Amino acid sequence: MGEHTNTRHLTCIRCPRGCQLTVELADDGSIAAVSGNSCKRGETYAIAEVTSPVRTVTTTVAVEGSAERKLVSVKTVPEVPKAAVLDVMAEAMTVVARAPVRIGDVLRKDIAGTGSDLVATKAAR
């Protein structure tokens, strides 16, 4: 299998088991082996986390015209590249929603050029 120059240890978040994963990288940076997973989802998660990590960004944005809320919670759908999280947060700070806001409303399409939308997770009337 060759020499392994780098080992990464992760906790899987794809199911409640929280398997302790070990990812061994080959000299060329490719995945040499994944161990510690109890299911296929763990292996898939480990490979993605090491090669192209993504995150769901959750935050709040301002709401105008609502008597009940000044802020509404939002999240990115789908996940965004981990490297873009700060850009997504910076742009989210500029978003102002206009009441009424319904759960699932897209408040910003293609936020920070990620291809992901910023979606309301709370309603505001």
Side-chain angles (χ1 to χ4, degrees):
M1 194 181 283
E3 193 84 18
H4 301 298
T5 60
N6 194 5
T7 301
R8 297 268 314 270
H9 299 281
L10 307 167
T11 300
C12 184
I13 59 170
R14 292 298 175 214
C15 81
R17 285 186 175 155
C19 294
Q20 298 301 304
L21 308 174
T22 301
V23 181
E24 296 178 39
L25 300 173
D27 291 336
D28 66 0
S30 65
I31 305 292
V34 176
S35 60
N37 54 299
S38 297
C39 66
K40 184 70 176 167
R41 289 183 295 172
E43 179 181 6
T44 302
Y45 168 76
I47 292 169
E49 184 63 15
V50 170
T51 60
S52 182
V54 293
R55 299 291 184 266
T56 297
V57 175
T58 60
T59 189
T60 56
V61 299
V63 177
E64 287 182 346
S66 173
E68 64 181 11
R69 296 191 190 281
K70 299 294 181 211
L71 297 172
V72 67
S73 59
V74 295
K75 71 176 184 175
T76 53
V77 177
E79 299 166 317
V80 299
K82 185 178 177 183
V85 169
L86 293 178
D87 293 336
V88 168
M89 287 299 294
E91 188 171 325
M93 290 173 48
T94 70
V95 174
V96 178
R98 183 83 184 132
V101 175
R102 292 172 301 284
I103 295 172
D105 282 356
V106 174
L107 303 181
R108 178 70 51 96
K109 291 193 83 50
D110 189 26
I111 189 156
T114 62
S116 296
D117 297 334
L118 195 63
V119 177
T121 59
K122 203 73 148 169
R125 292 181 282 268

